[in-house]
Coordinates of all heavy atoms in Angstrom, one line a residue:
M16 N -33.0 74.7 48.6 CA -32.9 75.5 49.8 C -32.4 74.6 50.9 O -33.1 73.6 51.2 CB -34.2 76.2 50.1 CG -34.2 77.1 51.2 SD -35.7 78.1 51.2 CE -36.3 77.8 52.8
K17 N -31.4 75.0 51.6 CA -30.9 74.3 52.7 C -31.7 74.6 53.9 O -32.1 75.8 54.1 CB -29.4 74.6 53.0 CG -28.5 74.1 51.9 CD -27.1 74.4 52.3 CE -26.1 73.9 51.3 NZ -24.7 74.2 51.6
I18 N -32.0 73.7 54.8 CA -32.7 73.9 56.0 C -31.6 74.3 57.1 O -30.8 73.5 57.5 CB -33.5 72.7 56.5 CG1 -34.5 72.4 55.4 CG2 -34.1 73.0 57.8 CD1 -35.3 71.1 55.8
S19 N -31.7 75.5 57.4 CA -30.8 76.0 58.5 C -31.6 76.8 59.5 O -32.7 77.1 59.3 CB -29.7 76.9 57.8 OG -30.3 78.1 57.3
V20 N -30.9 77.1 60.6 CA -31.5 77.8 61.6 C -32.0 79.2 61.1 O -33.1 79.7 61.5 CB -30.6 77.9 62.8 CG1 -31.2 78.8 63.9 CG2 -30.2 76.6 63.4
T21 N -31.2 79.8 60.3 CA -31.6 81.1 59.8 C -32.9 81.0 58.9 O -33.7 81.9 59.1 CB -30.4 81.6 58.9 OG1 -29.2 81.6 59.7 CG2 -30.7 83.1 58.5
N22 N -33.0 80.0 58.1 CA -34.2 79.9 57.3 C -35.4 79.5 58.1 O -36.5 80.0 57.9 CB -33.9 78.8 56.2 CG -33.0 79.2 55.1 OD1 -32.8 80.4 54.9 ND2 -32.4 78.2 54.5
V23 N -35.2 78.7 59.1 CA -36.3 78.4 60.0 C -36.8 79.7 60.8 O -38.0 79.9 60.9 CB -35.9 77.3 61.0 CG1 -37.0 77.1 62.1 CG2 -35.7 76.0 60.3
L24 N -35.8 80.5 61.2 CA -36.2 81.7 61.9 C -36.9 82.7 61.0 O -37.8 83.4 61.4 CB -35.0 82.4 62.5 CG -34.3 81.6 63.7 CD1 -33.1 82.3 64.2 CD2 -35.3 81.5 64.9
K25 N -36.6 82.7 59.7 CA -37.2 83.5 58.7 C -38.7 83.0 58.5 O -39.6 83.8 58.3 CB -36.5 83.6 57.4 CG -35.2 84.3 57.5 CD -34.5 84.3 56.1 CE -33.2 85.0 56.1 NZ -32.4 84.9 54.9
L26 N -38.9 81.7 58.5 CA -40.2 81.2 58.2 C -41.1 81.1 59.5 O -42.3 81.1 59.3 CB -40.1 79.7 57.7 CG -39.5 79.6 56.3 CD1 -39.3 78.1 56.0 CD2 -40.4 80.2 55.3
L27 N -40.5 81.2 60.6 CA -41.3 81.1 61.9 C -42.4 82.2 62.0 O -43.5 81.8 62.3 CB -40.4 81.2 63.1 CG -41.0 80.9 64.4 CD1 -41.6 79.5 64.4 CD2 -40.0 81.0 65.5
P28 N -42.1 83.5 61.7 CA -43.2 84.5 61.7 C -44.4 84.1 60.7 O -45.5 84.3 61.0 CB -42.6 85.8 61.4 CG -41.2 85.6 61.7 CD -40.9 84.1 61.4
A29 N -44.0 83.6 59.6 CA -45.0 83.3 58.6 C -45.8 82.1 59.1 O -47.1 82.1 58.9 CB -44.4 83.0 57.2
L30 N -45.2 81.1 59.7 CA -45.9 80.0 60.2 C -46.9 80.4 61.4 O -48.0 79.9 61.4 CB -45.0 78.9 60.7 CG -44.2 78.2 59.6 CD1 -43.1 77.3 60.2 CD2 -45.2 77.3 58.8
L31 N -46.4 81.3 62.2 CA -47.2 81.7 63.3 C -48.4 82.5 62.8 O -49.5 82.4 63.3 CB -46.4 82.6 64.3 CG -45.4 81.8 65.1 CD1 -44.5 82.8 65.9 CD2 -46.1 80.8 66.0
A32 N -48.2 83.3 61.8 CA -49.3 84.1 61.2 C -50.3 83.1 60.5 O -51.5 83.3 60.7 CB -48.8 85.1 60.1
L33 N -49.8 82.1 59.9 CA -50.7 81.1 59.3 C -51.5 80.4 60.3 O -52.8 80.2 60.2 CB -49.9 80.1 58.5 CG -50.7 79.0 57.7 CD1 -51.6 79.7 56.7 CD2 -49.7 78.0 57.1
L34 N -50.9 80.0 61.4 CA -51.6 79.3 62.5 C -52.7 80.3 63.2 O -53.7 79.8 63.6 CB -50.7 78.8 63.5 CG -49.8 77.6 63.1 CD1 -48.8 77.3 64.1 CD2 -50.6 76.4 62.7
S35 N -52.4 81.5 63.2 CA -53.3 82.5 63.9 C -54.6 82.6 63.0 O -55.6 83.0 63.5 CB -52.7 83.8 64.1 OG -52.4 84.5 62.9
F36 N -54.5 82.4 61.7 CA -55.7 82.5 60.8 C -56.5 81.2 60.9 O -57.6 81.2 60.4 CB -55.2 82.8 59.4 CG -54.9 84.2 59.2 CD1 -53.6 84.7 59.3 CD2 -55.8 85.2 58.9 CE1 -53.2 86.0 59.2 CE2 -55.5 86.5 58.7 CZ -54.2 86.9 58.9
S37 N -56.0 80.2 61.4 CA -56.8 78.9 61.5 C -58.0 79.0 62.4 O -59.0 78.4 62.2 CB -55.9 77.7 61.8 OG -55.5 77.9 63.1
A38 N -57.9 79.8 63.5 CA -59.0 80.0 64.5 C -60.2 80.6 63.8 O -61.3 80.1 64.0 CB -58.5 80.7 65.7
P39 N -60.0 81.7 63.1 CA -61.2 82.3 62.5 C -61.8 81.3 61.4 O -63.0 81.3 61.2 CB -60.7 83.6 61.8 CG -59.5 84.0 62.6 CD -58.9 82.6 63.0
A40 N -61.0 80.5 60.8 CA -61.5 79.6 59.8 C -62.5 78.6 60.4 O -63.5 78.3 59.8 CB -60.4 78.9 59.1
S41 N -62.2 78.1 61.6 CA -63.1 77.2 62.3 C -64.4 77.9 62.7 O -65.4 77.4 62.6 CB -62.4 76.6 63.5 OG -62.2 77.6 64.5
T42 N -64.2 79.2 63.0 CA -65.4 80.0 63.3 C -66.3 80.2 62.0 O -67.5 80.1 62.1 CB -65.1 81.4 63.9 OG1 -64.3 81.2 65.0 CG2 -66.3 82.2 64.2
L43 N -65.6 80.4 60.9 CA -66.3 80.5 59.7 C -67.0 79.2 59.3 O -68.1 79.2 58.8 CB -65.4 80.9 58.5 CG -64.9 82.3 58.6 CD1 -63.8 82.5 57.5 CD2 -66.0 83.3 58.4
D44 N -66.3 78.1 59.6 CA -66.9 76.8 59.3 C -68.2 76.6 60.2 O -69.2 76.1 59.7 CB -66.0 75.6 59.6 CG -64.9 75.5 58.6 OD1 -65.0 76.1 57.5 OD2 -63.8 74.8 58.9
Q45 N -68.1 77.0 61.5 CA -69.2 76.9 62.4 C -70.4 77.8 61.9 O -71.5 77.4 61.9 CB -68.8 77.2 63.8 CG -67.9 76.2 64.4 CD -67.3 76.6 65.8 OE1 -67.5 77.8 66.2 NE2 -66.6 75.7 66.4
D46 N -70.0 79.0 61.5 CA -71.0 79.9 61.0 C -71.7 79.4 59.8 O -72.9 79.4 59.6 CB -70.4 81.3 60.7 CG -70.0 82.0 62.0 OD1 -70.5 81.6 63.1 OD2 -69.3 83.0 61.9
A47 N -70.9 78.8 58.9 CA -71.4 78.3 57.6 C -72.3 77.1 58.0 O -73.4 76.9 57.3 CB -70.3 77.8 56.7
Q48 N -72.0 76.3 58.9 CA -72.8 75.1 59.3 C -74.1 75.6 59.9 O -75.2 75.1 59.6 CB -72.0 74.3 60.3 CG -72.7 73.0 60.7 CD -71.9 72.1 61.6 OE1 -71.0 72.6 62.3 NE2 -72.2 70.8 61.6
K49 N -74.1 76.7 60.7 CA -75.3 77.2 61.3 C -76.2 77.8 60.2 O -77.4 77.6 60.2 CB -75.0 78.4 62.3 CG -74.4 77.8 63.6 CD -74.0 79.0 64.5 CE -73.3 78.5 65.8 NZ -72.9 79.7 66.6
V50 N -75.6 78.5 59.2 CA -76.4 79.0 58.1 C -77.0 77.9 57.3 O -78.2 77.9 56.9 CB -75.6 79.9 57.2 CG1 -76.3 80.3 55.9 CG2 -75.2 81.2 57.9
G51 N -76.2 76.8 57.1 CA -76.7 75.7 56.3 C -77.8 75.0 57.1 O -78.8 74.6 56.5
H52 N -77.7 74.9 58.4 CA -78.8 74.2 59.2 C -80.0 75.1 59.1 O -81.1 74.6 59.0 CB -78.3 74.1 60.6 CG -79.3 73.4 61.5 ND1 -79.6 72.1 61.4 CD2 -80.1 73.9 62.5 CE1 -80.5 71.8 62.3 NE2 -80.8 72.9 63.0
A53 N -79.9 76.4 59.3 CA -81.0 77.3 59.3 C -81.7 77.2 57.9 O -83.0 77.2 57.8 CB -80.6 78.7 59.6
T54 N -80.9 77.2 56.8 CA -81.5 77.1 55.5 C -82.3 75.8 55.3 O -83.4 75.8 54.8 CB -80.4 77.2 54.4 OG1 -79.7 78.5 54.6 CG2 -81.0 77.2 53.0
G55 N -81.6 74.7 55.8 CA -82.3 73.4 55.7 C -83.6 73.4 56.5 O -84.6 72.8 56.0
T56 N -83.6 74.0 57.6 CA -84.8 74.0 58.4 C -85.9 74.8 57.7 O -87.1 74.4 57.7 CB -84.5 74.7 59.8 OG1 -83.5 73.9 60.5 CG2 -85.8 74.8 60.7
V57 N -85.6 75.9 57.1 CA -86.6 76.7 56.4 C -87.1 75.9 55.2 O -88.3 75.9 55.0 CB -86.0 78.1 55.9 CG1 -86.9 78.8 54.9 CG2 -85.7 79.0 57.1
V58 N -86.2 75.3 54.4 CA -86.7 74.5 53.3 C -87.5 73.3 53.7 O -88.5 73.0 53.1 CB -85.4 74.0 52.5 CG1 -85.8 73.0 51.4 CG2 -84.7 75.2 51.8
H59 N -87.2 72.7 54.9 CA -88.0 71.6 55.4 C -89.4 72.1 55.7 O -90.4 71.5 55.4 CB -87.3 71.0 56.6 CG -88.1 70.0 57.3 ND1 -88.3 68.7 56.8 CD2 -88.9 70.0 58.4 CE1 -89.1 68.0 57.5 NE2 -89.5 68.7 58.5
E60 N -89.5 73.3 56.4 CA -90.8 73.8 56.8 C -91.6 74.2 55.5 O -92.8 74.0 55.5 CB -90.6 75.1 57.6 CG -90.1 74.8 59.0 CD -91.0 73.9 59.8 OE1 -92.2 74.1 59.8 OE2 -90.5 73.0 60.6
I61 N -90.9 74.7 54.5 CA -91.7 75.0 53.3 C -92.2 73.8 52.6 O -93.3 73.7 52.2 CB -90.7 75.8 52.3 CG1 -90.5 77.2 52.8 CG2 -91.3 75.8 50.9 CD1 -89.4 77.9 52.0
G62 N -91.4 72.7 52.6 CA -91.8 71.4 52.1 C -93.0 70.8 52.9 O -93.9 70.3 52.3
H63 N -92.9 71.0 54.2 CA -94.0 70.5 55.0 C -95.3 71.3 54.7 O -96.4 70.7 54.6 CB -93.6 70.6 56.5 CG -94.6 70.0 57.4 ND1 -94.9 68.7 57.5 CD2 -95.5 70.6 58.3 CE1 -95.8 68.4 58.4 NE2 -96.2 69.6 58.9
G64 N -95.2 72.6 54.6 CA -96.3 73.4 54.3 C -96.9 73.1 52.9 O -98.1 73.0 52.7
A65 N -96.0 72.8 52.0 CA -96.5 72.4 50.6 C -97.2 71.1 50.7 O -98.2 70.9 50.0 CB -95.3 72.4 49.7
K66 N -96.7 70.2 51.5 CA -97.3 68.8 51.6 C -98.7 69.0 52.2 O -99.7 68.4 51.7 CB -96.5 67.9 52.5 CG -97.1 66.6 52.8 CD -96.3 65.8 53.8 CE -97.0 64.5 54.1 NZ -96.3 63.8 55.2
E67 N -98.8 69.8 53.2 CA -100.1 70.0 53.9 C -101.1 70.7 52.9 O -102.3 70.3 52.8 CB -100.0 70.9 55.1 CG -99.3 70.2 56.3 CD -100.0 69.0 56.8 OE1 -101.2 69.1 56.9 OE2 -99.3 68.0 57.0
A68 N -100.6 71.7 52.1 CA -101.5 72.3 51.1 C -101.9 71.3 50.0 O -103.1 71.3 49.6 CB -100.7 73.5 50.5
G69 N -101.0 70.5 49.6 CA -101.3 69.5 48.6 C -102.3 68.5 49.1 O -103.2 68.1 48.4
L70 N -102.2 68.1 50.3 CA -103.2 67.1 50.9 C -104.6 67.8 51.0 O -105.6 67.1 50.8 CB -102.7 66.7 52.3 CG -101.6 65.7 52.3 CD1 -101.1 65.4 53.7 CD2 -102.0 64.4 51.6
T71 N -104.6 69.1 51.4 CA -105.9 69.8 51.4 C -106.5 69.8 50.1 O -107.7 69.6 49.9 CB -105.6 71.2 52.0 OG1 -105.0 71.1 53.3 CG2 -106.9 72.0 52.1
V72 N -105.7 70.1 49.0 CA -106.3 70.2 47.7 C -106.8 68.8 47.3 O -107.9 68.7 46.7 CB -105.2 70.7 46.7 CG1 -105.6 70.5 45.2 CG2 -104.9 72.1 47.0
V73 N -106.0 67.8 47.6 CA -106.4 66.4 47.2 C -107.7 66.0 47.9 O -108.6 65.5 47.3 CB -105.3 65.4 47.5 CG1 -105.8 64.0 47.5 CG2 -104.1 65.6 46.6
H74 N -107.8 66.3 49.2 CA -109.1 66.0 49.9 C -110.3 66.7 49.4 O -111.4 66.2 49.3 CB -108.9 66.2 51.4 CG -108.0 65.2 52.0 ND1 -107.1 65.6 53.0 CD2 -107.8 63.9 51.8 CE1 -106.4 64.5 53.4 NE2 -106.8 63.5 52.7
A75 N -110.1 68.0 49.0 CA -111.1 68.8 48.5 C -111.6 68.3 47.1 O -112.7 68.2 46.8 CB -110.7 70.3 48.4
A76 N -110.6 67.9 46.3 CA -110.9 67.4 45.0 C -111.6 66.0 45.1 O -112.5 65.7 44.3 CB -109.6 67.2 44.2
E77 N -111.2 65.2 46.1 CA -111.9 63.9 46.3 C -113.3 64.2 46.7 O -114.2 63.5 46.2 CB -111.1 63.2 47.4 CG -111.7 61.8 47.7 CD -111.0 61.1 48.8 OE1 -110.3 61.7 49.6 OE2 -111.1 59.9 48.9
K78 N -113.5 65.1 47.6 CA -114.9 65.4 48.1 C -115.7 65.9 46.9 O -116.9 65.5 46.7 CB -114.8 66.4 49.2 CG -116.2 66.7 49.8 CD -116.1 67.8 50.9 CE -117.4 68.2 51.4 NZ -117.4 69.2 52.4
T79 N -115.2 66.8 46.2 CA -115.9 67.4 45.0 C -116.2 66.4 44.0 O -117.3 66.3 43.4 CB -115.1 68.5 44.4 OG1 -114.8 69.5 45.4 CG2 -115.8 69.2 43.2
G80 N -115.3 65.5 43.7 CA -115.5 64.4 42.8 C -116.6 63.5 43.2 O -117.4 63.1 42.4
K81 N -116.7 63.2 44.5 CA -117.8 62.3 45.0 C -119.1 63.0 44.9 O -120.1 62.4 44.5 CB -117.5 61.9 46.5 CG -116.4 60.9 46.6 CD -116.2 60.5 48.1 CE -115.1 59.5 48.2 NZ -114.9 59.2 49.6
E82 N -119.1 64.3 45.2 CA -120.3 65.1 45.0 C -120.8 65.2 43.6 O -122.0 65.0 43.3 CB -120.2 66.5 45.6 CG -120.0 66.5 47.1 CD -119.7 67.9 47.7 OE1 -119.4 68.9 46.9 OE2 -119.6 68.1 48.9
I83 N -119.9 65.4 42.7 CA -120.2 65.4 41.2 C -120.8 64.0 40.8 O -121.8 64.0 40.1 CB -119.0 65.9 40.4 CG1 -118.7 67.3 40.6 CG2 -119.3 65.6 38.9 CD1 -117.4 67.8 40.0
G84 N -120.1 63.0 41.2 CA -120.5 61.6 40.9 C -121.9 61.3 41.4 O -122.8 60.8 40.7
T85 N -122.2 61.7 42.6 CA -123.5 61.5 43.2 C -124.6 62.3 42.5 O -125.7 61.8 42.2 CB -123.5 62.0 44.7 OG1 -122.5 61.2 45.4 CG2 -124.8 61.7 45.4
A86 N -124.3 63.6 42.1 CA -125.2 64.4 41.4 C -125.4 63.8 40.0 O -126.6 63.8 39.5 CB -124.7 65.8 41.3
A87 N -124.4 63.3 39.3 CA -124.5 62.8 38.0 C -125.4 61.5 38.1 O -126.2 61.2 37.2 CB -123.2 62.4 37.4
E88 N -125.2 60.7 39.1 CA -126.0 59.5 39.3 C -127.5 59.8 39.5 O -128.3 59.2 38.9 CB -125.5 58.7 40.5 CG -126.2 57.4 40.7 CD -125.8 56.7 42.0 OE1 -125.1 57.3 42.9 OE2 -126.1 55.5 42.1
A89 N -127.7 60.8 40.4 CA -129.1 61.2 40.6 C -129.7 61.8 39.3 O -130.9 61.5 39.0 CB -129.1 62.3 41.7
G90 N -128.9 62.6 38.6 CA -129.4 63.1 37.3 C -129.7 62.0 36.3 O -130.7 62.1 35.6
G91 N -128.8 61.0 36.2 CA -129.1 59.9 35.3 C -130.3 59.1 35.7 O -131.1 58.7 34.8
K92 N -130.5 58.9 37.0 CA -131.7 58.2 37.4 C -133.0 59.0 37.1 O -134.0 58.4 36.6 CB -131.6 57.9 38.9 CG -130.6 56.8 39.3 CD -130.6 56.5 40.8 CE -129.6 55.4 41.1 NZ -129.5 55.2 42.5
A93 N -132.9 60.3 37.3 CA -134.1 61.1 37.0 C -134.4 61.1 35.5 O -135.5 61.1 35.1 CB -133.8 62.6 37.5
F94 N -133.3 61.2 34.7 CA -133.5 61.1 33.3 C -134.1 59.8 32.8 O -135.1 59.8 32.0 CB -132.2 61.4 32.5 CG -132.3 61.2 31.1 CD1 -132.8 62.3 30.3 CD2 -131.8 60.1 30.4 CE1 -132.9 62.2 28.9 CE2 -131.9 60.0 29.0 CZ -132.5 61.0 28.3
M95 N -133.6 58.7 33.4 CA -134.2 57.4 33.0 C -135.7 57.3 33.4 O -136.5 56.8 32.7 CB -133.4 56.3 33.6 CG -132.0 56.1 33.0 SD -132.0 55.9 31.2 CE -132.7 54.2 31.1
K96 N -136.0 57.8 34.6 CA -137.3 57.8 35.1 C -138.2 58.6 34.2 O -139.3 58.2 33.8 CB -137.4 58.3 36.6 CG -138.7 58.2 37.2 CD -138.7 58.6 38.7 CE -140.0 58.5 39.3 NZ -140.0 59.0 40.7
A97 N -137.7 59.8 33.8 CA -138.5 60.7 32.9 C -138.7 60.0 31.6 O -139.7 60.1 30.9 CB -137.9 62.0 32.8
A98 N -137.6 59.4 31.1 CA -137.7 58.8 29.7 C -138.7 57.6 29.8 O -139.4 57.4 28.8 CB -136.3 58.3 29.3
K99 N -138.7 56.8 30.8 CA -139.6 55.7 30.9 C -141.1 56.2 31.0 O -142.0 55.6 30.5 CB -139.3 54.8 32.1 CG -138.1 54.0 31.9 CD -137.8 53.1 33.1 CE -136.6 52.3 33.0 NZ -136.3 51.5 34.2
G100 N -141.3 57.3 31.7 CA -142.6 57.9 31.9 C -143.1 58.6 30.6 O -144.3 58.7 30.4
A101 N -142.2 59.0 29.7 CA -142.6 59.7 28.5 C -143.1 58.8 27.4 O -143.7 59.2 26.4 CB -141.4 60.5 28.0
K102 N -143.0 57.5 27.6 CA -143.4 56.6 26.5 C -144.9 56.6 26.3 O -145.9 56.7 26.5 CB -143.0 55.1 26.9 CG -141.6 54.9 26.8 CD -141.3 53.4 27.0 CE -139.8 53.1 26.9 NZ -139.5 51.8 27.2

């Protein structure tokens, strides 16, 4: 295809139409970026909440474990005392 004034004039409306569609594309990019940021924020908050819940469970388990250990120790001492006294 030879480049001539006639061919350029035929392509000019198509080029102008193509350029007019680039503005909404940048808006779509901005909108997509906003949606991505909002999604990331929500996921971050969920992760933070899960971390807090996990720490609460760990602390409760630690406290319960200490209480069970203390009770087992006291039970063991009472058993030994009773066993020595039963001789």
Side-chain angles (χ1 to χ4, degrees):
M16 182 166 124
K17 292 182 179 179
I18 299 176
S19 67
V20 174
T21 307
N22 288 336
V23 170
L24 290 175
K25 288 179 183 177
L26 291 175
L27 191 59
L30 290 172
L31 290 174
L33 183 63
L34 291 175
S35 69
F36 282 92
S37 67
S41 67
T42 302
L43 289 175
D44 288 344
Q45 291 171 352
D46 290 345
Q48 188 176 21
K49 288 178 185 177
V50 168
H52 181 73
T54 303
T56 300
V57 169
V58 170
H59 176 76
E60 291 297 322
I61 290 170
H63 184 71
K66 177 185 173 186
E67 292 297 319
L70 287 174
T71 301
V72 169
V73 167
H74 290 141
E77 181 182 23
K78 182 180 175 185
T79 302
K81 286 181 181 179
E82 290 173 355
I83 290 171
T85 302
E88 181 184 18
K92 287 180 180 179
F94 175 78
M95 290 303 292
K96 186 176 179 181
K99 285 181 183 178
K102 287 185 179 178

